[in-house]
Amino acid sequence: MLYFDYAASTPLSENALRSLKNSFESDFANPHSAHKLSKNIAKKVEGIRCSFLDFLKAKDQYELYFLSSATEANNTVIKGLGLNSESKVIFSNSDHPSTVNPLGFIEKMTGAKLFEMPLCHDATIDFESLEKLVDEATKLVVITHVNNLSGSLQNILEIAALIKKKSPKCHVHVDGVQAFSKVEFSLKDSQIDSYSISAHKICGPKGIAALYLKKGVTLEPLLHGGNQEHGMRSSTLAYPLVEAFFSAAKDQFEKLNDAYIKAKELNLFLREELSKLHQNISYPFSLESTSPYILMIQFKGISSDILLRHLEMKDVYISSSSACSSKVKGLNPSYLALGIDSKFHKNILRLSFGMDTTKDEVESLINEFRSVINEIGMLIK
C-alpha cells in the first residue's frame, strides 16, 4: 500500500499504539474521582498538559485544554466568544469546514458580520488589505496556520501582531492542525489568543485534541456538566487517548527539523518527476509558499475522481479535497477562495506526506502514476 493522505489522517505511531494499549489496561479509573487511583491519573494529566505547553514555549502565557477534536476546539472558540450583531469577523472560505461552518451558524444566529480574508495570488494573507479591513469592530479573526488543501503557510505571528495593533481586543484564533509539530514555531510572546491542534494528524489516536488558550481569555463552554478540564469542557477525560496523543507529539517534535528538510526534498522531487509524466500536470502553489507536507496538483483534462479510482485499484491512496469536504458537489468554495478557476475544480488532487514517508515510497507513487496515465491516456483531453 502507498498512503499519501496524511493531511486527512495518519496511522498510529508505534509509541502511541503502545501507550494506548498499556493505558487502556492500567488507567481505567475516572481521573476525576477522589481516590488514589484517580489522583495518580490526574497527576499524569497535569504533567502531560505542562509538556504540551512546553512544546510551544507557551507555559507563561497560555492554558491548555483537552477536547475530543479540532472541530470541537474551533467551535468552542467561535461559539464561546459571545459574538453579536455588532461583531465583525474575518475568516477565509478556503479554510476547513470546522471553522467556516460554525461561523456561518454564528452569522445566522446572531447577525455577526462576516468578511472574507484577503489573500494574495499564492494564497498567503495579503497584509496590506488585511490591515485596511481590521478596525475596532473586529472581534474575531480566524486564521489557518497551514491550509489543509493547498498547504499555504501563513506567518501567523506577524499577522496576529498586525491585527492587535489595529484592534487590541480582537480575538485571534489559529487552526494549527496541519502545522503543529511539523512547522517550527512557538507561542512565546505571541499575540495569538487561541490555537487548536489534533492528535490524529500527527500519528496519534482519533478522539483527542487540544486548545491552547491565552490566560485571561474567557469562553462560554460548549458543554455543561461536571466542569472537567477546569470548567472548559465537561465530560470524563479519556486519559489513554491523552497519553497516546502525548507519545505521538513527543516523537514528532524530536524529529521536526530533520523531517521538515526531508519533506521539502520529497516534495520538490515529486513536483519535478510528476511534471515529466504529462504536460497537463501543474502546481497552483509554489513550494516556497506552502508546507512541504501538502502538495496540491492540477491535472487538466481528466477528472480527479477517475485518477483516484485508478490509483486506488493499485492500492495507492491520495485525495482530491479534504475528507470533510469530499461530499461537496459542483463548485468547491474552498478552491474558489484559494483563487483556483472553477473550470479546474474537478481536476485537483492533494498529496500529503508523513514524517516517515520515504523516497522509495515516492518513487513507487510516481511509477504507479505513470502506469495509470498510460492506461487512461485516451481519456485525457
Side-chain angles (χ1 to χ4, degrees):
M1 179 180 76
L2 294 172
Y3 186 74
F4 284 86
D5 198 18
Y6 281 80
S9 194
T10 58
L12 278 175
S13 71
E14 288 183 11
N15 285 334
L17 182 57
R18 190 178 302 113
S19 293
L20 265 186
K21 286 179 177 176
N22 293 339
S23 187
F24 268 131
E25 285 179 359
S26 58
D27 299 319
F28 53 86
N30 189 324
H32 313 292
S33 294
H35 51 68
K36 189 168 74 175
L37 271 182
S38 298
K39 287 180 179 177
N40 287 341
I41 296 174
K43 188 176 178 182
K44 288 193 282 188
V45 170
E46 295 312 311
I48 290 174
R49 199 187 306 279
C50 285
S51 294
F52 269 93
L53 289 166
D54 284 341
F55 285 145
L56 297 187
K57 299 179 175 60
K59 193 174 286 182
D60 293 338
Q61 288 180 281
Y62 293 82
E63 307 283 3
L64 182 120
Y65 302 99
F66 292 108
L67 309 97
S68 66
S69 67
T71 294
E72 185 188 344
N74 292 333
N75 271 264
T76 295
V77 173
I78 291 167
K79 295 176 180 174
L81 282 170
L83 300 172
N84 56 43
S85 60
E86 303 298 316
S87 303
K88 180 176 178 179
V89 178
I90 300 173
F91 78 112
S92 175
N93 271 305
S94 69
D95 292 339
H96 193 273
S98 66
T99 61
V100 174
N101 289 342
L103 285 170
F105 174 81
I106 287 294
E107 179 186 37
K108 183 178 177 182
M109 298 302 292
T110 71
K113 298 170 181 62
L114 306 187
F115 292 81
E116 185 75 21
M117 179 74 77
L119 299 180
C120 300
H121 69 280
D122 62 358
T124 57
I125 290 172
D126 181 338
F127 276 50
E128 190 174 329
S129 298
L130 177 62
E131 188 171 19
K132 292 175 182 173
L133 186 57
V134 175
D135 56 27
E136 289 294 329
T138 309
K139 301 303 179 190
L140 170 63
V141 177
V142 179
I143 309 163
T144 297
H145 197 168
V146 169
N147 185 279
N148 63 304
L149 297 171
S150 65
S152 302
L153 176 61
Q154 308 294 348
N155 187 338
I156 55 173
L157 299 178
E158 288 190 13
I159 295 167
L162 180 150
I163 293 164
K164 290 290 188 176
K165 186 178 175 184
K166 292 291 299 289
S167 182
K169 293 182 180 177
C170 174
H171 185 105
V172 179
H173 174 63
V174 178
D175 180 343
V177 165
Q178 300 291 349
F180 178 74
S181 76
K182 298 176 184 173
V183 175
E184 177 73 41
F185 102 107
S186 88
L187 285 170
K188 186 178 182 182
D189 299 328
S190 91
Q191 299 197 54
I192 293 164
D193 292 293
S194 51
Y195 189 90
S196 53
I197 62 175
S198 174
H200 79 101
K201 308 292 190 181
I202 62 166
C203 300
K206 295 172 183 63
I208 188 70
L211 178 70
Y212 291 85
L213 185 67
K214 187 165 270 191
K215 291 177 180 177
V217 174
T218 57
L219 299 174
E220 181 64 28
L222 278 182
L223 304 177
H224 298 88
N227 289 325
Q228 288 89 349
E229 284 301 280
H230 304 282
M232 181 59 70
R233 205 256 181 185
S234 292
S235 280
T236 301
L237 190 62
Y239 176 72
L241 298 182
V242 170
E243 185 172 311
F245 187 8
F246 171 62
S247 293
K250 186 168 176 286
D251 287 347
Q252 297 261 132
F253 273 96
E254 284 176 354
K255 53 190 176 185
L256 187 154
N257 291 326
D258 289 343
Y260 190 86
I261 293 168
K262 188 183 80 170
K264 281 185 81 171
E265 292 170 352
L266 293 179
N267 188 309
L268 181 60
F269 176 69
L270 193 50
R271 285 171 185 257
E272 290 173 348
E273 295 303 311
L274 287 179
S275 295
K276 296 174 186 174
L277 299 183
H278 202 282
Q279 62 184 5
N280 287 11
I281 292 177
S282 62
Y283 310 103
F285 305 104
S286 70
L287 179 55
E288 289 72 28
S289 65
T290 56
S291 161
Y293 290 99
I294 297 176
L295 172 58
M296 179 182 278
I297 300 171
Q298 183 173 288
F299 199 146
K300 295 178 186 175
I302 185 78
S303 165
S304 53
D305 283 345
I306 294 175
L307 288 164
L308 284 182
R309 297 300 157 244
H310 279 77
L311 286 166
E312 184 182 75
M313 286 189 280
K314 298 178 182 297
D315 219 14
V316 177
Y317 300 96
I318 63 174
S319 64
S320 57
S321 65
S322 74
C324 294
S325 301
S326 62
K327 301 288 190 295
V328 172
K329 302 297 180 188
L331 286 182
N332 186 312
S334 298
Y335 292 161
L336 213 54
L338 286 168
I340 297 172
D341 194 317
S342 59
K343 64 184 177 184
F344 299 128
H345 285 194
K346 295 295 185 187
N347 308 122
I348 298 295
L349 298 167
R350 181 189 68 180
L351 303 181
S352 47
F353 309 91
M355 282 189 169
D356 295 324
T357 300
T358 65
K359 189 167 183 181
D360 284 347
E361 290 175 302
V362 172
E363 288 175 338
S364 297
L365 170 67
I366 293 164
N367 289 334
E368 296 295 1
F369 228 101
R370 181 184 294 109
S371 174
V372 167
I373 290 173
N374 289 337
E375 290 169 12
I376 63 172
M378 78 294 289
L379 299 176
I380 302 173
K381 299 174 183 173

